Amino acid sequence: MSFPFSFWKNNQSGGFFVRSHGQTGFGTGTITVFSSVEEFNGTSWASGTSDSTDKGELQLGDTTFSSKHWAIDGRSGAGAISPNYIASYNRTSWDNSQPVRTTGRVAGGIAAYSGSLLVAKGTTSTNISVGYVSSSASLDAFNGSSWSNGIATFGSATMEASSATTNSLFRVVGGIGITGFGDNEHDTWNGSSASTSTILPSSVPMSVGQIESGGRFLVASYNSGASYAYNGSSWDTLGTTPSYAISNSAATGSGCANGFNSASGLNYVNGGSSSSSASLTSSSVFNGTSWSSGTASSEARAGATGSVLA
């Protein structure tokens, strides 16, 4: 088992992808969690203001909400999830005065929807290598001051799934199920009820995604590099990302690399952990048609949390 990577999105000129926390290593290797921040402007990476709390394997997706970057839950070490955690960042300073949610989970899908930050699925397991056995199907909502827990239950319990908001729906796709195998379910939330939509063409063990400039929901598997885009009615099969984890019988890995859709319409994915549990700095870029290699980050990290701020 390993981490997914994710994309980051920015449709405004001059925006920054903000990536914080995360870890080096995965599985049975040496794991170090940290609190540092990196910012990417579409051309180069620079350091930001670090948080005061180290966390790894946070929620996966775009955490942009109320013009802030958010870090929610996460592991404080190789296995520990507790205590629950929440902090926000405005590119100047961190604020951890908001309430934590009742049940902390890691490796859930996250995206803003209809005035709230939604966190779907994830796991409560303290075993980082087989966390899928304690995966959840639950959806929680944070409105900026309080949590509404368990507002919906999706059709399958998974961790490391793709989440985004498109066509007035919050979506959570793929991931790894409680049996340890890939899940191809596509669940949606319309603000009042949960339902199942068009499934992925194949089961993607671990994947995270973001919105492509053309409006499609772009997802990629971090243990194979396979990528797909949902066009509103069906899935388009795309190419393979140039950088992804090597899957084998010993160990796999790829981290919460985070995606960024630049003002010029490019999607980026960065970071993760290799099969040897060493974290990566490499990036991949999608131009709407094909993938290529992109600008490497300064720090190697997996399991980070990402957003886009002005």
mmCIF file of all heavy atoms in Angstrom, residues 85-141:
data_model
loop_
_atom_site.group_PDB
_atom_site.id
_atom_site.type_symbol
_atom_site.label_atom_id
_atom_site.label_comp_id
_atom_site.label_asym_id
_atom_site.label_seq_id
_atom_site.Cartn_x
_atom_site.Cartn_y
_atom_site.Cartn_z
ATOM 1 N N TYR A 85 -6.555 17.369 14.585
ATOM 2 C CA TYR A 85 -5.839 18.622 14.364
ATOM 3 C C TYR A 85 -6.514 19.453 13.284
ATOM 4 O O TYR A 85 -7.102 18.907 12.339
ATOM 5 C CB TYR A 85 -4.394 18.328 13.945
ATOM 6 C CG TYR A 85 -3.524 19.557 13.854
ATOM 7 C CD1 TYR A 85 -3.154 20.253 15.005
ATOM 8 C CD2 TYR A 85 -3.104 20.043 12.615
ATOM 9 C CE1 TYR A 85 -2.363 21.391 14.921
ATOM 10 C CE2 TYR A 85 -2.311 21.176 12.534
ATOM 11 C CZ TYR A 85 -1.944 21.846 13.687
ATOM 12 O OH TYR A 85 -1.175 22.976 13.615
ATOM 13 N N ILE A 86 -6.460 20.764 13.435
ATOM 14 C CA ILE A 86 -6.905 21.670 12.390
ATOM 15 C C ILE A 86 -6.131 22.977 12.505
ATOM 16 O O ILE A 86 -5.877 23.459 13.613
ATOM 17 C CB ILE A 86 -8.431 21.930 12.452
ATOM 18 C CG1 ILE A 86 -8.886 22.774 11.250
ATOM 19 C CG2 ILE A 86 -8.819 22.586 13.764
ATOM 20 C CD1 ILE A 86 -10.395 22.877 11.127
ATOM 21 N N ALA A 87 -5.717 23.522 11.381
ATOM 22 C CA ALA A 87 -5.028 24.814 11.357
ATOM 23 C C ALA A 87 -5.235 25.433 9.983
ATOM 24 O O ALA A 87 -5.362 24.731 8.980
ATOM 25 C CB ALA A 87 -3.538 24.650 11.647
ATOM 26 N N SER A 88 -5.277 26.753 9.930
ATOM 27 C CA SER A 88 -5.427 27.468 8.667
ATOM 28 C C SER A 88 -4.250 28.412 8.469
ATOM 29 O O SER A 88 -3.625 28.875 9.425
ATOM 30 C CB SER A 88 -6.738 28.243 8.622
ATOM 31 O OG SER A 88 -6.777 29.228 9.643
ATOM 32 N N TYR A 89 -3.974 28.723 7.181
ATOM 33 C CA TYR A 89 -2.798 29.506 6.818
ATOM 34 C C TYR A 89 -3.182 30.505 5.736
ATOM 35 O O TYR A 89 -3.865 30.160 4.768
ATOM 36 C CB TYR A 89 -1.719 28.549 6.308
ATOM 37 C CG TYR A 89 -0.441 29.187 5.824
ATOM 38 C CD1 TYR A 89 0.359 29.946 6.669
ATOM 39 C CD2 TYR A 89 -0.018 28.990 4.511
ATOM 40 C CE1 TYR A 89 1.549 30.504 6.216
ATOM 41 C CE2 TYR A 89 1.179 29.535 4.052
ATOM 42 C CZ TYR A 89 1.959 30.294 4.901
ATOM 43 O OH TYR A 89 3.129 30.844 4.460
ATOM 44 N N ASN A 90 -2.759 31.765 5.885
ATOM 45 C CA ASN A 90 -3.109 32.819 4.926
ATOM 46 C C ASN A 90 -1.900 33.335 4.145
ATOM 47 O O ASN A 90 -1.919 34.430 3.621
ATOM 48 C CB ASN A 90 -3.809 33.972 5.640
ATOM 49 C CG ASN A 90 -2.929 34.615 6.705
ATOM 50 O OD1 ASN A 90 -1.740 34.297 6.832
ATOM 51 N ND2 ASN A 90 -3.519 35.517 7.475
ATOM 52 N N ARG A 91 -0.843 32.564 4.101
ATOM 53 C CA ARG A 91 0.448 32.877 3.476
ATOM 54 C C ARG A 91 1.285 33.826 4.320
ATOM 55 O O ARG A 91 2.365 34.234 3.904
ATOM 56 C CB ARG A 91 0.291 33.442 2.058
ATOM 57 C CG ARG A 91 -0.247 32.456 1.032
ATOM 58 C CD ARG A 91 0.003 32.900 -0.400
ATOM 59 N NE ARG A 91 1.419 33.023 -0.690
ATOM 60 C CZ ARG A 91 1.969 34.106 -1.226
ATOM 61 N NH1 ARG A 91 1.238 35.172 -1.501
ATOM 62 N NH2 ARG A 91 3.257 34.133 -1.480
ATOM 63 N N THR A 92 0.792 34.182 5.508
ATOM 64 C CA THR A 92 1.570 35.008 6.430
ATOM 65 C C THR A 92 1.749 34.319 7.774
ATOM 66 O O THR A 92 2.858 34.246 8.307
ATOM 67 C CB THR A 92 0.885 36.377 6.655
ATOM 68 O OG1 THR A 92 0.760 37.054 5.402
ATOM 69 C CG2 THR A 92 1.695 37.230 7.620
ATOM 70 N N SER A 93 0.638 33.769 8.311
ATOM 71 C CA SER A 93 0.689 33.139 9.633
ATOM 72 C C SER A 93 -0.329 32.014 9.727
ATOM 73 O O SER A 93 -1.256 31.912 8.910
ATOM 74 C CB SER A 93 0.409 34.184 10.725
ATOM 75 O OG SER A 93 -0.882 34.757 10.538
ATOM 76 N N TRP A 94 -0.139 31.192 10.758
ATOM 77 C CA TRP A 94 -1.015 30.050 11.015
ATOM 78 C C TRP A 94 -1.976 30.357 12.167
ATOM 79 O O TRP A 94 -1.628 31.051 13.105
ATOM 80 C CB TRP A 94 -0.183 28.814 11.371
ATOM 81 C CG TRP A 94 0.501 28.208 10.197
ATOM 82 C CD1 TRP A 94 1.730 28.531 9.696
ATOM 83 C CD2 TRP A 94 -0.008 27.165 9.364
ATOM 84 N NE1 TRP A 94 2.023 27.751 8.597
ATOM 85 C CE2 TRP A 94 0.982 26.904 8.372
ATOM 86 C CE3 TRP A 94 -1.187 26.417 9.351
ATOM 87 C CZ2 TRP A 94 0.812 25.935 7.390
ATOM 88 C CZ3 TRP A 94 -1.359 25.453 8.377
ATOM 89 C CH2 TRP A 94 -0.372 25.215 7.407
ATOM 90 N N ASP A 95 -3.193 29.787 12.091
ATOM 91 C CA ASP A 95 -4.213 29.934 13.132
ATOM 92 C C ASP A 95 -4.755 28.544 13.450
ATOM 93 O O ASP A 95 -5.284 27.867 12.578
ATOM 94 C CB ASP A 95 -5.336 30.838 12.621
ATOM 95 C CG ASP A 95 -6.500 30.978 13.605
ATOM 96 O OD1 ASP A 95 -6.359 30.524 14.764
ATOM 97 O OD2 ASP A 95 -7.542 31.529 13.203
ATOM 98 N N ASN A 96 -4.594 28.095 14.689
ATOM 99 C CA ASN A 96 -5.113 26.776 15.080
ATOM 100 C C ASN A 96 -6.200 26.892 16.144
ATOM 101 O O ASN A 96 -6.347 26.016 16.998
ATOM 102 C CB ASN A 96 -3.988 25.857 15.558
ATOM 103 C CG ASN A 96 -3.253 26.415 16.764
ATOM 104 O OD1 ASN A 96 -3.578 27.490 17.274
ATOM 105 N ND2 ASN A 96 -2.257 25.686 17.232
ATOM 106 N N SER A 97 -6.993 27.967 16.079
ATOM 107 C CA SER A 97 -8.043 28.199 17.075
ATOM 108 C C SER A 97 -9.374 27.538 16.711
ATOM 109 O O SER A 97 -10.307 27.534 17.515
ATOM 110 C CB SER A 97 -8.267 29.705 17.251
ATOM 111 O OG SER A 97 -8.732 30.300 16.044
ATOM 112 N N GLN A 98 -9.500 26.963 15.504
ATOM 113 C CA GLN A 98 -10.762 26.354 15.099
ATOM 114 C C GLN A 98 -10.958 25.004 15.783
ATOM 115 O O GLN A 98 -9.996 24.334 16.159
ATOM 116 C CB GLN A 98 -10.804 26.168 13.573
ATOM 117 C CG GLN A 98 -10.728 27.449 12.779
ATOM 118 C CD GLN A 98 -9.307 27.931 12.570
ATOM 119 O OE1 GLN A 98 -8.353 27.232 12.926
ATOM 120 N NE2 GLN A 98 -9.151 29.105 11.995
ATOM 121 N N PRO A 99 -12.217 24.561 15.924
ATOM 122 C CA PRO A 99 -12.482 23.273 16.584
ATOM 123 C C PRO A 99 -12.103 22.090 15.697
ATOM 124 O O PRO A 99 -12.290 22.140 14.477
ATOM 125 C CB PRO A 99 -13.986 23.314 16.842
ATOM 126 C CG PRO A 99 -14.527 24.187 15.752
ATOM 127 C CD PRO A 99 -13.469 25.249 15.537
ATOM 128 N N VAL A 100 -11.593 21.034 16.307
ATOM 129 C CA VAL A 100 -11.293 19.808 15.569
ATOM 130 C C VAL A 100 -12.572 19.006 15.394
ATOM 131 O O VAL A 100 -13.555 19.188 16.113
ATOM 132 C CB VAL A 100 -10.234 18.958 16.305
ATOM 133 C CG1 VAL A 100 -8.925 19.724 16.439
ATOM 134 C CG2 VAL A 100 -10.738 18.529 17.674
ATOM 135 N N ARG A 101 -12.574 18.099 14.413
ATOM 136 C CA ARG A 101 -13.761 17.264 14.240
ATOM 137 C C ARG A 101 -13.756 16.116 15.233
ATOM 138 O O ARG A 101 -12.714 15.752 15.800
ATOM 139 C CB ARG A 101 -13.882 16.765 12.806
ATOM 140 C CG ARG A 101 -12.759 15.903 12.280
ATOM 141 C CD ARG A 101 -13.114 15.398 10.892
ATOM 142 N NE ARG A 101 -11.994 14.731 10.241
ATOM 143 C CZ ARG A 101 -12.124 14.011 9.143
ATOM 144 N NH1 ARG A 101 -13.311 13.853 8.579
ATOM 145 N NH2 ARG A 101 -11.064 13.441 8.579
ATOM 146 N N THR A 102 -14.906 15.508 15.431
ATOM 147 C CA THR A 102 -15.081 14.503 16.483
ATOM 148 C C THR A 102 -14.177 13.298 16.273
ATOM 149 O O THR A 102 -13.503 12.829 17.205
ATOM 150 C CB THR A 102 -16.544 14.041 16.534
ATOM 151 O OG1 THR A 102 -17.384 15.174 16.761
ATOM 152 C CG2 THR A 102 -16.745 13.031 17.659
ATOM 153 N N THR A 103 -14.154 12.767 15.060
ATOM 154 C CA THR A 103 -13.327 11.603 14.740
ATOM 155 C C THR A 103 -12.295 11.981 13.694
ATOM 156 O O THR A 103 -12.653 12.301 12.554
ATOM 157 C CB THR A 103 -14.184 10.434 14.213
ATOM 158 O OG1 THR A 103 -15.148 10.073 15.198
ATOM 159 C CG2 THR A 103 -13.313 9.230 13.895
ATOM 160 N N GLY A 104 -11.036 11.965 14.075
ATOM 161 C CA GLY A 104 -9.975 12.286 13.135
ATOM 162 C C GLY A 104 -9.705 11.128 12.190
ATOM 163 O O GLY A 104 -9.691 9.967 12.609
ATOM 164 N N ARG A 105 -9.518 11.439 10.914
ATOM 165 C CA ARG A 105 -9.158 10.425 9.928
ATOM 166 C C ARG A 105 -8.064 10.991 9.025
ATOM 167 O O ARG A 105 -7.956 12.201 8.861
ATOM 168 C CB ARG A 105 -10.376 10.009 9.082
ATOM 169 C CG ARG A 105 -11.455 9.288 9.856
ATOM 170 C CD ARG A 105 -12.502 8.680 8.928
ATOM 171 N NE ARG A 105 -13.256 9.667 8.201
ATOM 172 C CZ ARG A 105 -14.363 10.254 8.636
ATOM 173 N NH1 ARG A 105 -14.825 9.963 9.840
ATOM 174 N NH2 ARG A 105 -15.006 11.136 7.890
ATOM 175 N N VAL A 106 -7.284 10.135 8.440
ATOM 176 C CA VAL A 106 -6.241 10.564 7.511
ATOM 177 C C VAL A 106 -6.532 9.985 6.127
ATOM 178 O O VAL A 106 -7.311 9.044 5.982
ATOM 179 C CB VAL A 106 -4.834 10.127 7.979
ATOM 180 C CG1 VAL A 106 -4.520 10.713 9.343
ATOM 181 C CG2 VAL A 106 -4.706 8.601 8.009
ATOM 182 N N ALA A 107 -5.877 10.568 5.107
ATOM 183 C CA ALA A 107 -5.978 10.094 3.723
ATOM 184 C C ALA A 107 -7.409 10.094 3.215
ATOM 185 O O ALA A 107 -7.821 9.202 2.472
ATOM 186 C CB ALA A 107 -5.352 8.707 3.582
ATOM 187 N N GLY A 108 -8.212 11.085 3.630
ATOM 188 C CA GLY A 108 -9.548 11.268 3.086
ATOM 189 C C GLY A 108 -9.497 12.222 1.898
ATOM 190 O O GLY A 108 -8.492 12.873 1.636
ATOM 191 N N GLY A 109 -10.596 12.318 1.170
ATOM 192 C CA GLY A 109 -10.707 13.272 0.078
ATOM 193 C C GLY A 109 -11.272 14.581 0.593
ATOM 194 O O GLY A 109 -12.133 14.584 1.476
ATOM 195 N N ILE A 110 -10.817 15.722 0.057
ATOM 196 C CA ILE A 110 -11.234 17.019 0.575
ATOM 197 C C ILE A 110 -11.438 18.021 -0.563
ATOM 198 O O ILE A 110 -10.697 18.021 -1.545
ATOM 199 C CB ILE A 110 -10.204 17.548 1.590
ATOM 200 C CG1 ILE A 110 -10.736 18.767 2.352
ATOM 201 C CG2 ILE A 110 -8.871 17.856 0.918
ATOM 202 C CD1 ILE A 110 -9.883 19.132 3.559
ATOM 203 N N ALA A 111 -12.473 18.858 -0.439
ATOM 204 C CA ALA A 111 -12.725 19.932 -1.400
ATOM 205 C C ALA A 111 -13.802 20.844 -0.829
ATOM 206 O O ALA A 111 -14.645 20.411 -0.031
ATOM 207 C CB ALA A 111 -13.174 19.392 -2.754
ATOM 208 N N ALA A 112 -13.783 22.116 -1.214
ATOM 209 C CA ALA A 112 -14.817 23.063 -0.799
ATOM 210 C C ALA A 112 -16.080 22.831 -1.623
ATOM 211 O O ALA A 112 -16.019 22.548 -2.830
ATOM 212 C CB ALA A 112 -14.326 24.491 -0.975
ATOM 213 N N TYR A 113 -17.247 22.967 -0.965
ATOM 214 C CA TYR A 113 -18.521 22.798 -1.658
ATOM 215 C C TYR A 113 -19.599 23.584 -0.929
ATOM 216 O O TYR A 113 -19.811 23.397 0.275
ATOM 217 C CB TYR A 113 -18.913 21.311 -1.713
ATOM 218 C CG TYR A 113 -20.281 21.067 -2.313
ATOM 219 C CD1 TYR A 113 -20.454 21.047 -3.697
ATOM 220 C CD2 TYR A 113 -21.394 20.876 -1.509
ATOM 221 C CE1 TYR A 113 -21.701 20.843 -4.260
ATOM 222 C CE2 TYR A 113 -22.652 20.659 -2.056
ATOM 223 C CZ TYR A 113 -22.805 20.647 -3.430
ATOM 224 O OH TYR A 113 -24.045 20.447 -3.986
ATOM 225 N N SER A 114 -20.266 24.484 -1.607
ATOM 226 C CA SER A 114 -21.439 25.191 -1.110
ATOM 227 C C SER A 114 -21.233 25.786 0.282
ATOM 228 O O SER A 114 -22.050 25.586 1.189
ATOM 229 C CB SER A 114 -22.650 24.238 -1.091
ATOM 230 O OG SER A 114 -23.838 24.929 -0.806
ATOM 231 N N GLY A 115 -20.129 26.518 0.457
ATOM 232 C CA GLY A 115 -19.896 27.225 1.709
ATOM 233 C C GLY A 115 -19.288 26.403 2.823
ATOM 234 O O GLY A 115 -19.191 26.878 3.958
ATOM 235 N N SER A 116 -18.873 25.184 2.521
ATOM 236 C CA SER A 116 -18.236 24.338 3.528
ATOM 237 C C SER A 116 -17.032 23.625 2.923
ATOM 238 O O SER A 116 -16.910 23.500 1.705
ATOM 239 C CB SER A 116 -19.215 23.283 4.070
ATOM 240 O OG SER A 116 -20.244 23.871 4.825
ATOM 241 N N LEU A 117 -16.158 23.169 3.789
ATOM 242 C CA LEU A 117 -15.042 22.320 3.386
ATOM 243 C C LEU A 117 -15.437 20.894 3.714
ATOM 244 O O LEU A 117 -15.644 20.550 4.884
ATOM 245 C CB LEU A 117 -13.777 22.720 4.146
ATOM 246 C CG LEU A 117 -12.460 22.086 3.695
ATOM 247 C CD1 LEU A 117 -12.160 22.423 2.234
ATOM 248 C CD2 LEU A 117 -11.317 22.546 4.595
ATOM 249 N N LEU A 118 -15.596 20.054 2.702
ATOM 250 C CA LEU A 118 -16.046 18.676 2.884
ATOM 251 C C LEU A 118 -14.860 17.727 2.957
ATOM 252 O O LEU A 118 -13.911 17.842 2.183
ATOM 253 C CB LEU A 118 -16.966 18.253 1.739
ATOM 254 C CG LEU A 118 -18.233 19.077 1.517
ATOM 255 C CD1 LEU A 118 -19.106 18.416 0.450
ATOM 256 C CD2 LEU A 118 -19.021 19.257 2.814
ATOM 257 N N VAL A 119 -14.928 16.786 3.900
ATOM 258 C CA VAL A 119 -13.891 15.769 4.060
ATOM 259 C C VAL A 119 -14.567 14.402 3.981
ATOM 260 O O VAL A 119 -15.427 14.082 4.806
ATOM 261 C CB VAL A 119 -13.136 15.919 5.391
ATOM 262 C CG1 VAL A 119 -11.972 14.930 5.443
ATOM 263 C CG2 VAL A 119 -12.629 17.351 5.564
ATOM 264 N N ALA A 120 -14.191 13.606 2.987
ATOM 265 C CA ALA A 120 -14.861 12.337 2.724
ATOM 266 C C ALA A 120 -13.956 11.150 3.009
ATOM 267 O O ALA A 120 -12.758 11.175 2.718
ATOM 268 C CB ALA A 120 -15.317 12.276 1.268
ATOM 269 N N LYS A 121 -14.545 10.121 3.583
ATOM 270 C CA LYS A 121 -13.889 8.826 3.742
ATOM 271 C C LYS A 121 -12.596 8.943 4.549
ATOM 272 O O LYS A 121 -12.532 9.699 5.496
ATOM 273 C CB LYS A 121 -13.702 8.168 2.378
ATOM 274 C CG LYS A 121 -15.023 8.058 1.591
ATOM 275 C CD LYS A 121 -14.895 7.231 0.335
ATOM 276 C CE LYS A 121 -16.221 7.089 -0.368
ATOM 277 N NZ LYS A 121 -16.171 6.187 -1.528
ATOM 278 N N GLY A 122 -11.524 8.210 4.192
ATOM 279 C CA GLY A 122 -10.299 8.198 4.991
ATOM 280 C C GLY A 122 -10.272 7.052 5.972
ATOM 281 O O GLY A 122 -11.155 6.192 5.998
ATOM 282 N N THR A 123 -9.232 7.017 6.814
ATOM 283 C CA THR A 123 -9.054 5.910 7.748
ATOM 284 C C THR A 123 -8.683 6.387 9.150
ATOM 285 O O THR A 123 -8.068 7.445 9.305
ATOM 286 C CB THR A 123 -7.968 4.932 7.245
ATOM 287 O OG1 THR A 123 -7.828 3.846 8.169
ATOM 288 C CG2 THR A 123 -6.622 5.629 7.110
ATOM 289 N N THR A 124 -9.060 5.589 10.141
ATOM 290 C CA THR A 124 -8.688 5.843 11.529
ATOM 291 C C THR A 124 -7.563 4.930 11.987
ATOM 292 O O THR A 124 -7.147 4.983 13.150
ATOM 293 C CB THR A 124 -9.891 5.633 12.470
ATOM 294 O OG1 THR A 124 -10.381 4.293 12.305
ATOM 295 C CG2 THR A 124 -11.011 6.612 12.163
ATOM 296 N N SER A 125 -7.053 4.088 11.089
ATOM 297 C CA SER A 125 -6.054 3.100 11.474
ATOM 298 C C SER A 125 -4.719 3.754 11.849
ATOM 299 O O SER A 125 -4.265 4.687 11.198
ATOM 300 C CB SER A 125 -5.821 2.118 10.334
ATOM 301 O OG SER A 125 -4.769 1.216 10.648
ATOM 302 N N THR A 126 -4.096 3.238 12.898
ATOM 303 C CA THR A 126 -2.753 3.691 13.267
ATOM 304 C C THR A 126 -1.666 2.871 12.579
ATOM 305 O O THR A 126 -0.487 3.157 12.745
ATOM 306 C CB THR A 126 -2.551 3.603 14.794
ATOM 307 O OG1 THR A 126 -2.774 2.254 15.216
ATOM 308 C CG2 THR A 126 -3.502 4.528 15.525
ATOM 309 N N ASN A 127 -2.075 1.869 11.804
ATOM 310 C CA ASN A 127 -1.123 1.076 11.031
ATOM 311 C C ASN A 127 -1.012 1.685 9.642
ATOM 312 O O ASN A 127 -1.894 1.520 8.799
ATOM 313 C CB ASN A 127 -1.586 -0.383 10.944
ATOM 314 C CG ASN A 127 -0.530 -1.277 10.317
ATOM 315 O OD1 ASN A 127 0.260 -0.846 9.482
ATOM 316 N ND2 ASN A 127 -0.522 -2.540 10.718
ATOM 317 N N ILE A 128 0.053 2.393 9.390
ATOM 318 C CA ILE A 128 0.199 3.148 8.151
ATOM 319 C C ILE A 128 0.279 2.250 6.917
ATOM 320 O O ILE A 128 -0.041 2.663 5.808
ATOM 321 C CB ILE A 128 1.439 4.062 8.238
ATOM 322 C CG1 ILE A 128 1.399 5.151 7.151
ATOM 323 C CG2 ILE A 128 2.724 3.258 8.162
ATOM 324 C CD1 ILE A 128 2.441 6.210 7.354
ATOM 325 N N SER A 129 0.671 0.999 7.098
ATOM 326 C CA SER A 129 0.833 0.097 5.962
ATOM 327 C C SER A 129 -0.468 -0.562 5.519
ATOM 328 O O SER A 129 -0.632 -0.904 4.354
ATOM 329 C CB SER A 129 1.862 -0.995 6.293
ATOM 330 O OG SER A 129 3.127 -0.430 6.505
ATOM 331 N N VAL A 130 -1.418 -0.772 6.435
ATOM 332 C CA VAL A 130 -2.695 -1.418 6.091
ATOM 333 C C VAL A 130 -3.860 -0.595 6.617
ATOM 334 O O VAL A 130 -4.833 -1.122 7.146
ATOM 335 C CB VAL A 130 -2.762 -2.872 6.623
ATOM 336 C CG1 VAL A 130 -1.803 -3.765 5.871
ATOM 337 C CG2 VAL A 130 -2.484 -2.924 8.122
ATOM 338 N N GLY A 131 -3.788 0.713 6.438
ATOM 339 C CA GLY A 131 -4.829 1.603 6.941
ATOM 340 C C GLY A 131 -6.184 1.361 6.327
ATOM 341 O O GLY A 131 -7.219 1.694 6.921
ATOM 342 N N TYR A 132 -6.227 0.747 5.139
ATOM 343 C CA TYR A 132 -7.491 0.526 4.443
ATOM 344 C C TYR A 132 -8.470 -0.339 5.225
ATOM 345 O O TYR A 132 -9.678 -0.259 5.009
ATOM 346 C CB TYR A 132 -7.228 -0.089 3.063
ATOM 347 C CG TYR A 132 -6.325 -1.308 3.081
ATOM 348 C CD1 TYR A 132 -6.814 -2.575 3.391
ATOM 349 C CD2 TYR A 132 -4.967 -1.181 2.781
ATOM 350 C CE1 TYR A 132 -5.984 -3.673 3.415
ATOM 351 C CE2 TYR A 132 -4.132 -2.283 2.780
ATOM 352 C CZ TYR A 132 -4.639 -3.528 3.115
ATOM 353 O OH TYR A 132 -3.810 -4.615 3.122
ATOM 354 N N VAL A 133 -7.989 -1.168 6.149
ATOM 355 C CA VAL A 133 -8.892 -2.050 6.884
ATOM 356 C C VAL A 133 -9.830 -1.274 7.803
ATOM 357 O O VAL A 133 -10.858 -1.789 8.229
ATOM 358 C CB VAL A 133 -8.113 -3.103 7.712
ATOM 359 C CG1 VAL A 133 -7.279 -3.978 6.798
ATOM 360 C CG2 VAL A 133 -7.247 -2.444 8.776
ATOM 361 N N SER A 134 -9.484 -0.024 8.111
ATOM 362 C CA SER A 134 -10.330 0.817 8.962
ATOM 363 C C SER A 134 -10.860 2.019 8.199
ATOM 364 O O SER A 134 -11.107 3.081 8.766
ATOM 365 C CB SER A 134 -9.542 1.279 10.195
ATOM 366 O OG SER A 134 -9.106 0.189 10.980
ATOM 367 N N SER A 135 -11.043 1.851 6.881
ATOM 368 C CA SER A 135 -11.537 2.954 6.067
ATOM 369 C C SER A 135 -12.991 3.275 6.380
ATOM 370 O O SER A 135 -13.752 2.432 6.861
ATOM 371 C CB SER A 135 -11.410 2.609 4.576
ATOM 372 O OG SER A 135 -10.060 2.513 4.197
ATOM 373 N N SER A 136 -13.374 4.518 6.061
ATOM 374 C CA SER A 136 -14.716 5.020 6.340
ATOM 375 C C SER A 136 -15.436 5.357 5.043
ATOM 376 O O SER A 136 -14.814 5.620 4.017
ATOM 377 C CB SER A 136 -14.620 6.265 7.226
ATOM 378 O OG SER A 136 -15.869 6.910 7.359
ATOM 379 N N ALA A 137 -16.780 5.384 5.103
ATOM 380 C CA ALA A 137 -17.605 5.843 3.978
ATOM 381 C C ALA A 137 -18.281 7.162 4.318
ATOM 382 O O ALA A 137 -19.129 7.643 3.570
ATOM 383 C CB ALA A 137 -18.655 4.789 3.645
ATOM 384 N N SER A 138 -17.889 7.764 5.426
ATOM 385 C CA SER A 138 -18.583 8.932 5.963
ATOM 386 C C SER A 138 -18.142 10.241 5.314
ATOM 387 O O SER A 138 -17.020 10.378 4.814
ATOM 388 C CB SER A 138 -18.345 9.008 7.470
ATOM 389 O OG SER A 138 -19.058 10.087 8.049
ATOM 390 N N LEU A 139 -19.039 11.248 5.344
ATOM 391 C CA LEU A 139 -18.766 12.592 4.867
ATOM 392 C C LEU A 139 -19.004 13.587 5.993
ATOM 393 O O LEU A 139 -20.065 13.595 6.617
ATOM 394 C CB LEU A 139 -19.684 12.938 3.690
ATOM 395 C CG LEU A 139 -19.570 14.368 3.132
ATOM 396 C CD1 LEU A 139 -18.200 14.583 2.499
ATOM 397 C CD2 LEU A 139 -20.682 14.639 2.115
ATOM 398 N N ASP A 140 -18.001 14.436 6.275
ATOM 399 C CA ASP A 140 -18.091 15.477 7.294
ATOM 400 C C ASP A 140 -17.975 16.841 6.622
ATOM 401 O O ASP A 140 -17.348 16.979 5.564
ATOM 402 C CB ASP A 140 -16.972 15.336 8.332
ATOM 403 C CG ASP A 140 -17.034 14.019 9.087
ATOM 404 O OD1 ASP A 140 -18.124 13.420 9.173
ATOM 405 O OD2 ASP A 140 -15.981 13.581 9.594
ATOM 406 N N ALA A 141 -18.559 17.879 7.247
ATOM 407 C CA ALA A 141 -18.534 19.225 6.682
ATOM 408 C C ALA A 141 -18.091 20.235 7.736
ATOM 409 O O ALA A 141 -18.555 20.199 8.886
ATOM 410 C CB ALA A 141 -19.918 19.600 6.154
#
